[in-house]
Amino acid sequence: MKNEHKDNKDTEMKILQAARQVFLSKGYEGARMQEIADSAGINKALLHYYFRKKENLFVEIIKQALGDFFPKITNIWVKDIPFDDRVRQFIVNYISFSLENPDLPRFFINVLYQKPELFVTGIHLKDYVKILNLQEILDNEAKSGRIKQVDAYQFIITILSLCIFPAISNPLLRTTFKLSEDKFKEMMEERKEIVPEIVLNWLHINNK
Amino acid sequence: MKNEHKDNKDTEMKILQAARQVFLSKGYEGARMQEIADSAGINKALLHYYFRKKENLFVEIIKQALGDFFPKITNIWVKDIPFDDRVRQFIVNYISFSLENPDLPRFFINVLYQKPELFVTGIHLKDYVKILNLQEILDNEAKSGRIKQVDAYQFIITILSLCIFPAISNPLLRTTFKLSEDKFKEMMEERKEIVPEIVLNWLHINNK
DNA sequence: GTCTATAAGCAGATAGAC
DNA sequence: GTCTATCTGCTTATAGAC
């Protein structure tokens, strides 16, 4: 009796967890319902009982993943610490995050090339992109002469590039340059010093 | 008679061209032999006559695409012009190239996550990666005090990040930040100034 | 809610005529 | 070398018992 009515949230959770792993690493076309079912410890029929079709499940994963990805981009800017420290902290955090979750940005990039219609279904651009007050912050710093005037979009794109690209290109870079995984890891650690240096030097030169 | 024996190279070319377009935009799993056949103006049976199976065709595309992608990374460094100009020129070229061919790096990144075994089959790392003499060049510049000491890998990864990432993330960035295609294009043009500035400032500070 | 069994559809691959 | 027709196998999805 108890087990009959045990809340589906448990199973649903297991499904979502399994689906996420599979979709993020294999992509929509490469993912197999069978693999998701196996990984969740259930069978295919149950997947369809919960989500009716593959696409629905995929959209759920998009929604869920968005919640992890975007807040990270903006949240740190609200803290009230010196600007340079903020930049440094954001970069270090974002490099770490990207190294731990390289599948996430790769997933979104691919979705938007291959299934953009599903992306818009899932997105809720409430407070994700508080890029607007980032421009304010930059303008303030510039006004007081500490940095040069820069466009917030160029600023954030530069940082995202430097943080995310090496992570998602890990296998490509290692193959291309014949680097061991250890060597690569070491270099990524170094980049937590290098990238802030690059960005801050850019902001600080020619400021008037 | 003439048409009977017309060299298959023509058809083969059309197939490869169609396959490339489809594989690069849809990926291996998303690509359909039917679509490739249609796009090449032939039928599925002929695809198999030429390449026997999908995977073989895919490997051909990898090989071919490698030839476009990697030489671009290294070729410019052999020219004998002032270092700063070399850097600027490389960056501007690579940004342009990435904007025109965003599918190419995205393709390789995905292949190496999802079909790495096929990548090694296709790769011929002869003269692709002349990263070694790039380190020499950097060392020479550093020795004469014009730039600081930097690791060639960190240098090239930094540049590739700044050039490639914005291009492959175009749809993601535009959706996230609600940018029009025109606005985005405009920003990418600006980056042909910004990115060299960023890189050169990094190299020139603290050099002793 | 969860399972087994099965249907339905599709994509890759082959047979065989021309 | 190119085509039409067909097969085979896999994948998503449903039916129906428990």
Side-chain angles (χ1 to χ4, degrees), chain A residues 62-186:
Chain A
I62 292 180
K63 285 188 199 167
Q64 193 196 83
L66 276 171
D68 296 342
F69 186 55
F70 283 94
K72 292 260 174 193
I73 298 183
T74 51
N75 279 355
I76 192 119
W77 302 108
V78 300
K79 284 199 197 153
D80 196 20
I81 54 174
F83 179 77
D84 282 17
D85 291 339
R86 254 194 282 200
V87 173
R88 250 186 291 270
Q89 198 179 323
F90 176 79
I91 290 171
V92 171
N93 283 350
Y94 218 70
I95 289 178
S96 298
F97 176 74
S98 299
L99 290 173
E100 286 159 25
N101 307 279
D103 284 343
L104 213 49
R106 199 169 55 83
F107 174 73
F108 286 124
I109 289 171
N110 284 325
V111 168
L112 272 147
Y113 269 98
Q114 287 159 6
K115 300 266 171 199
E117 71 282 6
L118 299 185
F119 190 79
V120 286
T121 307
I123 198 169
H124 295 299
L125 282 164
K126 310 164 272 197
D127 49 0
Y128 286 152
V129 188
K130 294 189 218 138
I131 195 89
L132 300 147
N133 67 359
L134 175 59
Q135 185 68 67
E136 268 180 53
I137 294 171
L138 290 170
D139 287 348
N140 275 341
E141 291 295 312
K143 227 171 281 169
S144 60
R146 285 188 291 272
I147 66 167
K148 65 186 292 195
Q149 181 74 39
V150 292
D151 178 70
Y153 292 114
Q154 296 287 10
F155 176 70
I156 198 75
I157 289 174
T158 296
I159 291 183
L160 294 181
S161 300
L162 291 168
C163 294
I164 298 177
F165 183 80
I168 66 176
S169 310
N170 174 348
L172 178 58
L173 293 172
R174 288 201 293 107
T175 305
T176 307
F177 299 136
K178 297 204 187 103
L179 298 168
S180 72
E181 205 157 340
D182 279 352
K183 173 67 178 165
F184 187 81
K185 241 181 208 165
E186 191 186 305

Side-chain angles (χ1 to χ4, degrees), chain A residues 25-26 106 171-172 174-175, chain B residues 28 55 58-59 62 66 107-123:
Chain A
S25 80
K26 307 271 178 86
R106 199 169 55 83
L172 178 58
R174 288 201 293 107
T175 305
Chain B
Y28 181 78
E55 196 178 280
F58 189 66
V59 169
I62 291 179
L66 275 171
F107 175 72
F108 285 123
I109 288 171
N110 284 325
V111 168
L112 272 147
Y113 268 97
Q114 286 158 8
K115 299 267 169 197
E117 70 282 6
L118 300 184
F119 189 79
V120 286
T121 307
I123 198 168

Side-chain angles (χ1 to χ4, degrees), chain B residues 26-208:
Chain B
K26 307 272 179 86
Y28 181 78
E29 299 284 357
R32 295 287 168 262
M33 294 299 265
Q34 185 65 61
E35 186 181 351
I36 295 173
D38 291 347
S39 172
I42 56 165
N43 59 35
K44 280 189 297 180
L46 211 49
L47 285 185
H48 288 91
Y49 173 78
Y50 277 89
F51 294 93
R52 217 178 81 254
K53 52 181 196 157
K54 187 179 180 183
E55 196 178 280
N56 294 349
L57 183 51
F58 189 66
V59 169
E60 284 310 306
I61 300 306
I62 291 179
K63 285 188 198 167
Q64 195 196 80
L66 275 171
D68 297 342
F69 185 56
F70 284 93
K72 294 259 174 193
I73 299 183
T74 51
N75 279 353
I76 195 127
W77 301 107
V78 301
K79 285 199 196 154
D80 195 20
I81 54 174
F83 178 78
D84 282 17
D85 291 339
R86 254 194 280 198
V87 173
R88 251 186 292 270
Q89 199 179 325
F90 177 79
I91 289 171
V92 170
N93 283 350
Y94 218 72
I95 288 178
S96 298
F97 177 75
S98 298
L99 289 173
E100 285 159 24
N101 307 280
D103 284 342
L104 214 47
R106 199 169 56 82
F107 175 72
F108 285 123
I109 288 171
N110 284 325
V111 168
L112 272 147
Y113 268 97
Q114 286 158 8
K115 299 267 169 197
E117 70 282 6
L118 300 184
F119 189 79
V120 286
T121 307
I123 198 168
H124 296 298
L125 282 164
K126 309 164 275 201
D127 48 2
Y128 287 153
V129 187
K130 294 188 216 143
I131 196 94
L132 299 147
N133 65 2
L134 174 59
Q135 184 68 69
E136 269 180 53
I137 294 171
L138 289 170
D139 287 348
N140 275 341
E141 291 295 313
K143 226 172 283 170
S144 61
R146 284 187 292 272
I147 65 167
K148 65 185 293 193
Q149 184 73 39
V150 291
D151 179 69
Y153 293 115
Q154 296 285 11
F155 176 70
I156 199 75
I157 288 175
T158 297
I159 291 182
L160 294 181
S161 300
L162 291 168
C163 293
I164 297 176
F165 183 81
I168 67 176
S169 310
N170 174 348
L172 178 57
L173 293 172
R174 288 201 292 108
T175 304
T176 306
F177 298 137
K178 298 205 186 104
L179 299 168
S180 71
E181 205 156 342
D182 279 351
K183 172 66 177 167
F184 187 81
K185 242 182 207 163
E186 191 187 305
M187 285 181 58
M188 289 305 111
E189 282 306 312
E190 280 174 33
R191 286 188 76 78
K192 291 179 184 172
E193 298 270 342
I194 293 175
V195 174
E197 183 182 287
I198 292 171
V199 173
L200 289 172
N201 281 323
W202 168 45
L203 295 180
H204 285 304
I205 52 96
N206 293 337
N207 60 317
K208 55 161 192 219

